[in-house]
Amino acid sequence: MRTVYIHGATASERSFAFIQKSTRTKHPIYLNYQKENSAQDNLAEMTNILDSINDPVVIVAHSLGGVYATYLQHRFNKVKAVVSLATPFGGSELATWGSIFNPHYQLFKDIRPTSDFIRNSLSIDIECPWMQVVTTVGDVPWIQGTNDGIVTRSSMMCRNDIDYTEVDRNHYEVVLSKRSVDIIKKLLYK
């Protein structure tokens, strides 16, 4: 089984260095994408990469990477499980605010709660075991509702077809958390 990593919107594969080293995954696959590209273009590139992999995979995704994982697990039966970290399944209120100041920024367009990319992902059935790690530390006062500094708790927990667990980290610390590593290891070494 191979491990596929999908980073968050403003990150890179390097954000998984601690997790990858701690889990000792062999031959990881990184699905990198550009925040300047549309979500559909990024998804098409990810699909092409996964098309070339014959092995079963487990996806570990941070933030927006988890929304991409929703589409990918639906397209590929080789996806055997997913662990998502602080994924905004319901979109990002912060992107809604950002759109006011920069309406042409592609990332804001794609991750607003009203975007087609977010709304369509919520209609996709989850077809494999999935654990969402909900981050519980952080608070930006101009985001309505409890949040981790980037994503609201309600957005992270709006799906009823996955399992949830909590870690006391903020949106960015979750990829550096030993508890996150333990959750991922449990899935990888079942």
Side-chain angles (χ1 to χ4, degrees):
M1 181 133 14
R2 305 276 303 271
T3 304
V4 172
Y5 294 98
I6 311 173
H7 60 77
T10 59
S12 72
E13 66 186 50
R14 291 179 299 207
S15 62
F16 291 112
F18 175 75
I19 291 172
Q20 200 277 322
K21 182 178 178 184
S22 299
T23 58
R24 300 176 193 210
T25 52
K26 304 274 191 245
H27 311 293
I29 301 162
Y30 296 99
L31 297 182
N32 294 310
Y33 61 92
Q34 302 300 316
K35 65 184 179 202
E36 296 81 15
N37 294 347
S38 74
Q40 292 307 321
D41 288 345
N42 287 329
L43 192 57
E45 287 182 34
M46 292 179 194
T47 299
N48 288 338
I49 293 168
L50 277 186
D51 267 336
S52 67
I53 308 297
N54 294 322
D55 302 322
V57 300
V58 171
I59 296 176
V60 176
H62 177 235
S63 194
L64 182 58
V67 179
Y68 284 116
T70 304
Y71 286 90
L72 295 170
Q73 63 82 41
H74 180 67
R75 292 184 182 181
F76 296 100
N77 63 6
K78 68 180 94 179
V79 177
K80 300 304 179 192
V82 176
V83 175
S84 56
L85 309 167
T87 292
F89 292 111
S92 169
E93 291 298 328
L94 205 52
T96 302
W97 279 96
S99 296
I100 294 168
F101 301 105
N102 192 349
H104 303 293
Y105 188 50
Q106 187 63 48
L107 178 62
F108 291 158
K109 291 179 189 179
D110 288 334
I111 63 174
R112 289 185 314 225
T114 57
S115 75
D116 288 343
F117 182 65
I118 294 296
R119 286 195 332 232
N120 292 341
S121 74
L122 290 170
S123 67
I124 296 172
D125 291 332
I126 300 300
E127 300 166 8
C128 65
W130 191 304
M131 178 60 71
Q132 162 79 327
V133 177
V134 177
T135 44
T136 62
V137 175
D139 184 37
V140 173
W142 58 83
I143 299 176
Q144 189 173 20
T146 306
N147 64 80
D148 67 359
I150 299 293
V151 177
T152 63
R153 182 179 178 89
S154 61
S155 179
M156 286 186 267
M157 298 184 73
C158 71
R159 295 196 68 104
N160 61 10
D161 53 357
I162 63 176
D163 294 317
Y164 296 97
T165 191
E166 296 180 350
V167 297
D168 60 345
R169 298 289 183 268
N170 72 28
H171 192 79
Y172 296 107
E173 294 168 340
V174 70
V175 295
L176 301 171
S177 166
K178 183 171 178 340
R179 174 106 163 85
S180 296
V181 167
D182 291 343
I183 293 163
I184 294 164
K185 279 183 176 178
K186 190 181 286 187
L187 182 71
L188 292 175
Y189 304 117
K190 268 188 172 184

